[in-house]
Amino acid sequence: GLAFGVAGEVLIDNVTAKIVVGVPEAFPNCTPTFFLLNQEDFIRLPHVEHDGFICYTHNDTLVLDIDNMPGIIAGCFQFAIKTLKDGIERKDNNEFYNEYEAYWRYLKDVSAMFANIVLSEDAEVIKYSKLKDKEKELFFAVSDDTERMNSYQRIVNVKENPAQYFNGLYIPLKKGAEILIPNFKQELTLEHVRELILKNVTPGNEMKIRTALSKTKQEDLLVIDFPLPNGNHSLFAVRFKKINHAAHPLFTPGSPASVIPYNVKRVDPEFMLTRGGHGNNFIDKKALVIGAGSVGSDIA
């Protein structure tokens, strides 16, 4: 989808960075793209994807002067270089953690699911359902609350009504947790999951987890809440298959159960309203849109 690209080199902290500047066909109505070709010459850098793509800004935070196309490219190039330079000079993992969901999506065989869960400092039993949307299986996890359990109807077009729910578990990690930062196509193992959870929960929550998982199951779903250094929360999940009513694999080294990572798309109102910029002031409000023409449909 690129109209043209230019490859060149720039010196960053005495190391040569080989960079491609790619200009999309939609330019100047969108930003140019930048790729770092020689990642192996640097430490692992935040905001640089496995193919070298540099995530230097969010498109919705820029206003582009479409009459100054060279200026757009030059200005964005400076953003991209600053992103690389900041990553090279940074000594901690905070930037990786703040973008954790992007790295979790790198895992091998990762799947996607929705979640409408009230965040808490306490581990608690939640509900999850396997829904069919156009013959595709989707997972939907919710807090054990009637309104949230019924909210799946707003998210996916499913045939079954009502949805059949099973017990899963919501697990909040401690603030300051140090957890696995996945590499591209890395396979998630049971040992990874045990270390990620058991080394990063409070003693009280570990007791709750052990109690909740003491009952045998055929399979299970755990939704993990990771408090980020920037104050936000990252949700991701793991699904255990082939437990076959044996001891839970989270506490059983050598378990034959398999584990599947899930990327979680949050649809809880607390998250959606905050992201929209209004905070939770409107969480108990309702709106009626009359008319679904060109204006009303866009508003809806």
Side-chain angles (χ1 to χ4, degrees):
L2 298 180
F4 67 90
V6 179
E9 298 180 353
V10 61
L11 203 61
I12 303 177
D13 286 2
N14 297 318
V15 180
T16 298
K18 298 178 181 178
I19 294 177
V20 167
V21 184
V23 180
E25 294 174 353
F27 184 81
N29 293 312
C30 65
T31 54
T33 60
F34 300 89
F35 293 86
L36 177 64
L37 299 185
N38 58 328
Q39 288 194 72
E40 66 279 0
D41 294 338
F42 297 87
I43 60 171
R44 189 178 180 190
L45 300 174
H47 310 298
V48 179
E49 297 188 359
H50 64 90
D51 59 357
F53 179 78
I54 304 170
C55 303
Y56 62 92
T57 189
H58 296 289
N59 285 339
D60 57 1
T61 64
L62 291 182
V63 177
L64 302 177
D65 180 4
I66 62 174
D67 295 321
N68 182 12
M69 290 186 280
I72 294 175
I73 296 175
C76 290
F77 181 74
Q78 292 304 317
F79 280 140
I81 296 303
K82 185 178 186 303
T83 298
L84 296 179
K85 185 176 176 64
D86 288 347
I88 293 167
E89 295 176 351
R90 194 164 279 113
K91 297 293 193 283
D92 56 45
N93 286 326
N94 281 357
E95 286 303 303
F96 288 109
Y97 287 150
N98 287 333
E99 301 288 338
Y100 192 77
E101 291 170 27
Y103 296 99
W104 186 262
R105 287 196 290 269
Y106 287 169
L107 285 166
K108 184 180 179 180
D109 298 326
V110 68
S111 295
M113 60 172 287
F114 293 96
N116 186 353
I117 296 174
V118 179
L119 304 191
S120 166
E121 294 183 355
D122 298 319
E124 57 185 30
V125 173
I126 57 173
K127 300 291 184 180
Y128 74 92
S129 182
K130 292 179 281 188
L131 307 172
K132 290 282 187 181
D133 184 17
K134 298 178 181 178
E135 304 308 316
K136 181 180 179 181
E137 187 178 71
L138 294 172
F139 275 71
F140 189 57
V142 293
S143 295
D144 193 358
D145 170 89
T146 301
E147 183 174 349
R148 294 187 187 245
M149 290 172 68
N150 290 333
S151 66
Y152 73 91
Q153 300 174 69
R154 306 175 190 172
I155 309 302
V156 292
N157 181 24
V158 295
K159 295 179 180 179
E160 61 260 46
N161 190 14
Q164 182 181 6
Y165 279 104
F166 305 90
N167 284 344
L169 196 61
Y170 163 78
I171 299 177
L173 304 183
K174 296 184 295 188
K175 290 182 179 179
E178 297 184 0
I179 63 176
L180 168 76
I181 301 172
N183 286 307
F184 179 64
K185 292 300 181 183
Q186 180 176 356
E187 184 173 358
L188 186 69
T189 66
L190 287 172
E191 191 55 41
H192 285 145
V193 177
R194 289 190 198 101
E195 183 170 339
L196 189 155
I197 294 176
L198 298 181
K199 288 188 177 181
N200 293 290
V201 294
T202 64
N205 275 335
E206 181 177 346
M207 186 177 300
K208 291 178 181 179
I209 294 168
R210 289 184 179 275
T211 300
L213 300 184
S214 61
K215 297 180 180 179
T216 61
K217 292 182 173 184
Q218 179 65 27
E219 65 172 52
D220 201 9
L221 182 77
L222 308 183
V223 177
I224 301 163
D225 175 4
F226 177 31
L228 304 179
N230 62 12
N232 295 327
H233 289 254
S234 179
L235 263 61
F236 51 95
V238 291
R239 177 187 174 198
F240 297 101
K241 295 182 68 177
K242 301 178 183 178
I243 299 177
N244 297 330
H245 300 285
H248 200 281
L250 185 62
F251 303 107
T252 312
S255 169
S258 59
V259 60
I260 303 171
Y262 277 79
N263 178 49
V264 174
K265 182 174 182 180
R266 290 180 61 182
V267 293
D268 55 283
E270 295 84 0
F271 172 75
M272 300 293 281
L273 285 171
T274 300
R275 188 178 184 190
H278 293 290
N280 290 328
N281 295 331
F282 293 88
I283 200 162
D284 296 322
K285 304 292 192 296
K286 298 184 183 298
L288 172 64
V289 179
I290 300 175
S294 59
V295 177
S297 60
D298 199 45
I299 291 172

